[in-house]
């Protein structure tokens, strides 16, 4: 799909263990972590305390079955294992017994006022994150048990805590920090992680699913505040669910489209386009084949692809495969240059605010402006009577094509590169700078022969696949 990662980190790295233990000790020293006895579910048959996800039972809030020890998928409630009705061990189905054990707790309750202010005054949190977190903060926050009796995980760095590890949701977000440190280390500039976590202008943007808003908007900022010295998240964007033909996707029921299967038959960009355009990130979205075809055919092929193809084909045909030299730029021609400038600014701002869906729509609108311009100016007619006019028209249309190539690069990288190649420009579109969007392709520059960028898909093709 053309996605790549600067760093793929795991919470099993040595850096992660060290930082997590340092974090824990610091909170303990500052008095934000305390020891207490805790009742936990113990399976006498498996001979162990059960991790939250190894206990299932009936949800005390909605009566839903198979609620896990930490959450109910039916009503979305966050739960404690001791709250479950009729609990049983997932491994052996035995009813667990409650046994007392010693654990360490984080004083989350101390941060209630801080969190309320941080969330209500924060314009950078997406509305669904804000609403969800505010709901939580209406009630009193409870302290969090942050250790477990388990054999895997980061060991609690205290002698008296032999055999105990740190709870995954305490150390998972620390993984963001440790993987930034590891990334800096492997890039050859050890100190680079500080530009995100320490410096005033450092920005951390979390892209998460909506089921873990609690951990990112409440728990993690409180941990960072307690520790001190690190930046808080700058933005939290929580994606909602994606359904397939209006039904929940499920691997086990086969109701799913695997990306590798998709790629055997279709290009990555139409799917990238679809997912960006239909998912505004704060609303549920649906994938349907009919809608996929409609978007591909009506928007990508008919608006974007058609504009680019027409501009380049007429340029080739009428001007010997060279960008024409423009004549006098009149008022209605100037509008084209203004449209490029305006779109560059708008798309840039929308990317900054992570509003990718509107940003991509702006680029399609620019192609629509180009199509209308060609239709009004009709260079295929004026080429005989007024070739200078046709030259101006196609010169400007080609400038839109060039700007679209750079604008499109973050969204549809394969198509952007194709356009760049048709224009016969040096280097790759992936290495261009945003400021170069307005830089014109000069007259007499030779271009390559172009082909349509987006293939139309017909329904029969899809039905067979379905
Ligand atoms: Zn429930
Ligand atoms: Zn068991």
């Amino acid at each position: 799909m053309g996605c790549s990662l600067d760093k793929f980190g795991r919470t099993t790295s040595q850096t992660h263990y060290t930082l997590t233990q340092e974090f824990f000790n610091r909170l303990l020293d500052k008095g934000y972590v305390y020891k207490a006895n805790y009742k936990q579910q113990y399976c006498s048959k498996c001979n162990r305390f059960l991790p939250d996800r190894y206990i299932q039972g009936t949800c005390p809030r909605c009566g839903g079955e198979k609620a896990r020890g930490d959450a109910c998928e039916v009503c979305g409630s966050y739960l404690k294992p001791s709250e479950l009705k009729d609990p049983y061990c997932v491994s052996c189905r035995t009813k667990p017994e409650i046994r007392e054990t010693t654990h360490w707790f984080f004083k989350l309750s101390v941060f209630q006022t801080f969190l309320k202010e941080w969330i209500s005054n924060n314009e950078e949190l997406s509305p669904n994150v804000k609403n969800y977190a505010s709901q939580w903060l209406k009630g009193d926050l409870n302290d969090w048990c942050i250790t477990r009796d388990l054999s895997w995980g980061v060991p609690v760095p205290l002698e008296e805590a032999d055999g105990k590890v740190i709870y995954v949701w305490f150390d998972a977000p620390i993984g963001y920090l440790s993987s930034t440190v590891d990334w800096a280390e492997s890039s050859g500039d050890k100190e680079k992680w500080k530009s995100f976590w320490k410096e005033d202008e450092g920005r951390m943007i979390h892209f998460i699913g909506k089921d873990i808003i609690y951990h990112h908007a409440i728990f993690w900022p409180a941990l960072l505040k307690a520790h001190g010295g690190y930046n808080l998240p700058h933005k939290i964007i929580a994606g909602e669910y994606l359904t397939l033909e209006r039904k929940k996707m499920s691997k086990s029921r086969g109701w799913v489209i695997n990306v590798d299967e998709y790629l055997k038959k279709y290009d990555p960009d139409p799917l990238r386009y679809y997912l960006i355009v239909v998912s505004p990130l704060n609303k549920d979205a649906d994938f349907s084949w009919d809608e996929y075809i409609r978007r591909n055919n009506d928007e990508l092929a008919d608006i974007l692809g058609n504009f680019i193809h027409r501009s380049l084909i007429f340029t080739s045909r009428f001007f010997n495969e060279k960008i024409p030299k423009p004549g006098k730029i009149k008022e209605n021609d100037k509008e084209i240059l203004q449209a490029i400038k305006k779109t560059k600014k708008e798309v840039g701002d929308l990317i900054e605010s992570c509003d990718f869906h509107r940003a991509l729509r702006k680029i399609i609108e620019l192609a629509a402006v180009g199509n209308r311009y060609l239709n009004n100016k009709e260079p295929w007619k004026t080429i005989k009577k007024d070739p200078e006019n046709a030259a101006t028209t196609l010169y400007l249309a080609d400038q839109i094509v060039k700007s679209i190539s750079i604008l499109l690069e973050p969204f549809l990288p394969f198509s952007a590169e194709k356009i760049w190649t048709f224009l016969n420009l040096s280097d790759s579109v992936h290495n261009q700078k945003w400021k170069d969007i307005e830089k014109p392709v000069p007259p007499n520059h030779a271009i390559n022969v172009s082909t349509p960028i987006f293939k139309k898909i017909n329904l029969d093709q899809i039905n067979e696949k379905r």
Side-chain angles (χ1 to χ4, degrees):
M1 293 298 295
C3 299
S4 65
L5 306 165
D6 294 301
K7 167 79 189 165
F8 180 84
R10 289 183 186 278
T11 54
T12 45
S13 83
Q14 188 52 52
T15 312
H16 181 73
Y17 271 53
T18 310
L19 275 168
T20 299
Q21 292 182 334
E22 184 275 333
F23 218 106
F24 181 93
N25 280 330
R26 176 139 170 164
L27 265 47
L28 191 68
D29 289 348
K30 290 178 98 172
Y32 291 127
V33 164
Y34 62 91
K35 187 170 80 170
N37 287 334
Y38 184 56
K39 291 194 174 72
Q40 211 189 333
Q41 312 268 3
Y42 186 88
C43 176
S44 50
K45 198 168 166 194
C46 298
N47 253 331
R48 62 167 188 162
F49 285 103
L50 295 172
D52 300 352
R53 294 189 173 213
Y54 285 72
I55 310 165
Q56 281 186 345
T58 308
C59 171
R61 312 267 153 78
C62 74
E65 282 175 20
K66 285 193 178 176
R68 284 189 326 238
D70 56 352
C72 168
E73 275 191 4
V74 180
C75 67
S77 296
Y78 170 75
L79 300 171
K80 280 190 215 151
S82 56
E83 292 178 284
L84 286 181
K85 285 187 206 154
D86 307 320
Y88 57 88
C89 164
V90 171
S91 314
C92 72
R93 302 241 143 200
T94 305
K95 184 177 190 283
E97 55 192 70
I98 306 273
R99 282 202 192 173
E100 204 166 69
T101 172
T102 304
H103 278 298
W104 279 260
F105 289 74
F106 170 57
K107 282 188 190 170
L108 183 62
S109 50
V110 171
F111 296 93
Q112 182 122 12
T113 315
F114 157 74
L115 286 167
K116 262 188 184 160
E117 272 169 30
W118 185 71
I119 284 160
S120 61
N121 299 331
N122 198 332
E123 293 309 313
E124 299 290 350
L125 301 177
S126 63
N128 58 344
V129 171
K130 236 171 150 156
N131 287 341
Y132 185 92
S134 310
Q135 286 302 320
W136 266 100
L137 291 165
K138 277 183 187 159
D140 288 337
L141 290 178
N142 293 322
D143 292 350
W144 256 52
C145 179
I146 55 164
T147 55
R148 291 291 185 275
D149 294 288
L150 278 179
S151 55
W152 46 266
V154 182
V156 177
L158 299 169
E159 256 176 45
E160 58 177 312
D162 193 33
K164 293 181 197 289
V165 297
I166 289 169
Y167 178 44
V168 286
W169 272 113
F170 180 87
D171 82 90
I174 298 172
Y176 299 131
L177 177 63
S178 55
S179 61
T180 321
V181 173
D182 279 339
W183 161 79
E185 174 95 41
S186 61
S187 78
D189 179 0
K190 269 189 173 182
E191 302 296 305
K192 205 156 71 171
W193 66 273
K194 290 183 181 161
S195 63
F196 294 96
W197 293 93
K198 293 273 187 189
E199 286 165 20
D200 286 349
E201 63 273 23
R203 288 177 156 210
M204 232 94 49
I205 304 177
H206 293 298
F207 292 92
I208 59 168
K210 69 172 170 186
D211 52 338
I212 49 176
I213 292 175
Y214 180 88
H215 308 85
H216 288 78
I218 292 185
F219 194 52
W220 181 225
L223 283 180
L224 286 167
K225 180 74 181 165
H227 184 281
Y230 293 129
N231 291 333
L232 266 63
H234 173 66
K235 256 187 210 301
I236 303 174
I237 312 270
E240 303 269 322
Y241 295 138
L242 177 70
T243 50
L244 173 57
E245 306 278 2
R246 303 261 157 230
K247 280 196 272 180
K248 192 176 167 181
M249 285 197 233
S250 160
K251 236 179 183 173
S252 56
R253 281 182 289 121
W255 194 251
V256 67
I257 300 166
N258 288 316
V259 173
D260 52 353
E261 286 291 319
Y262 167 90
L263 288 173
K264 280 181 195 159
K265 208 152 182 184
Y266 307 106
D267 294 327
D269 279 359
L271 182 57
R272 292 177 64 117
Y273 178 78
Y274 183 100
L275 292 176
I276 297 167
V277 163
V278 302
S279 327
L281 288 178
N282 55 2
K283 276 192 202 136
D284 285 339
D286 182 58
F287 181 89
S288 84
W289 282 112
D290 288 342
E291 187 63 3
Y292 169 80
I293 296 170
R294 193 188 70 72
R295 298 267 181 189
N296 179 77
N297 293 359
D298 298 358
E299 295 173 9
L300 287 180
D302 281 351
I303 302 177
L304 186 60
N306 186 38
F307 165 67
I308 290 160
H309 192 57
R310 284 205 299 168
S311 304
L312 298 177
I313 283 292
F314 291 138
T315 301
S316 293
R317 203 179 290 163
F318 303 149
F319 295 97
N320 200 20
E321 285 163 30
K322 287 194 176 106
I323 304 283
K325 189 171 178 299
K328 192 172 169 0
I329 309 261
K330 295 179 187 151
E331 267 321 298
N332 61 349
D333 302 317
K334 274 188 196 148
E335 283 170 16
I336 293 304
L337 295 171
Q338 278 152 10
I340 293 173
K341 190 178 180 154
K342 189 167 155 257
T343 307
K344 174 191 163 205
K345 166 91 175 86
E346 287 172 338
V347 174
D349 289 348
L350 288 166
I351 291 177
E352 286 290 342
S353 56
C354 300
D355 197 343
F356 308 127
H357 136 91
R358 280 173 64 212
L360 188 48
R361 296 232 59 97
K362 292 279 175 198
I363 305 172
I364 303 297
E365 278 169 32
L366 181 61
V369 168
N371 268 327
R372 279 198 300 275
Y373 180 67
L374 288 179
N375 292 345
N376 291 338
K377 301 269 293 190
E378 300 181 307
W380 51 91
K381 281 189 185 164
T382 55
I383 186 67
K384 291 218 171 82
K385 298 170 285 177
D386 186 359
E388 191 184 293
N389 191 351
T392 308
T393 306
L394 287 169
Y395 170 82
L396 288 169
D398 293 340
Q399 304 309 329
I400 299 187
V401 172
K402 187 251 169 167
S403 68
I404 284 179
S405 172
I406 302 179
L407 286 163
L408 216 49
E409 197 275 342
F411 303 95
L412 311 180
F414 300 96
S415 310
E417 186 68 9
K418 261 190 196 169
I419 304 168
W420 199 255
T421 310
F422 292 154
L423 286 170
N424 190 29
L425 293 165
S426 61
D427 201 357
S428 154
V429 72
H430 308 304
N431 300 327
Q432 303 310 307
K433 299 226 156 65
W434 204 251
K435 64 177 169 53
D436 293 335
I437 286 169
E438 285 175 84
K439 205 165 124 191
V441 188
N444 286 322
H445 171 84
I447 62 169
N448 290 321
V449 178
S450 68
T451 51
I453 306 176
F454 302 104
K455 282 176 252 161
K456 283 214 181 187
I457 302 168
N458 64 47
L459 203 56
D460 299 341
Q461 223 179 318
I462 291 284
N463 277 338
E464 164 207 333
K465 188 79 191 161
R466 220 195 300 245

